[in-house]
């Protein structure tokens, strides 16, 4: 069965599944940190209204945007093995 070289073995499948599981855990943790950080920064401790006001919405938009920018920058720097500029 020389034509089956492209079929992943059981070990390969387990490794791929394990990597996908770690990636999902990382993304959930990242989302939870982002939510916690931006909520604490932008939303008043005492709720006055049932929905976010315009200031809170703007703050959350900026916070999430900056959080993703920094996360992407750190990921790029770690991936390139370069010192930060």
């Amino acid at each position: 069965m020389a034509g089956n070289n492209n079929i992943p073995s059981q070990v390969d499948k387990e490794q791929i599944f394990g990597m996908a599981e770690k990636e999902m855990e990382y993304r959930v943790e990242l989302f939870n940190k982002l939510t916690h950080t931006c909520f604490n920064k932008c939303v008043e401790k005492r709720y006055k209204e049932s929905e976010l006001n315009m200031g809170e919405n703007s703050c959350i938009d900026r916070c999430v945007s900056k959080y993703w920018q920094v996360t992407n920058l750190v990921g790029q720097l770690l991936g390139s093995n370069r010192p930060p500029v």
Side-chain angles (χ1 to χ4, degrees), residues 3-67:
N4 291 338
N5 289 340
N6 292 334
I7 297 174
S9 69
Q10 184 63 30
V11 173
D12 291 339
K13 288 178 183 178
E14 289 174 10
Q15 287 177 335
I16 291 169
F17 183 74
M19 289 174 19
E21 204 170 39
K22 288 289 183 194
E23 178 73 15
M24 182 60 89
E25 289 172 7
Y26 166 76
R27 290 183 182 271
V28 168
E29 181 183 355
L30 182 66
F31 177 79
N32 288 337
K33 285 181 181 178
L34 174 132
T35 302
H36 181 77
T37 299
C38 293
F39 182 86
N40 286 339
K41 180 180 181 196
C42 297
V43 178
E44 292 187 33
K45 303 301 178 230
R46 290 182 43 200
Y47 302 120
K48 298 177 186 173
E49 303 168 10
S50 62
E51 295 185 16
L52 296 174
N53 63 40
M54 187 175 289
E56 292 168 334
N57 269 323
S58 296
C59 179
I60 289 172
D61 283 345
R62 285 190 309 273
C63 181
V64 169
S65 177
K66 288 179 184 179
Y67 202 100

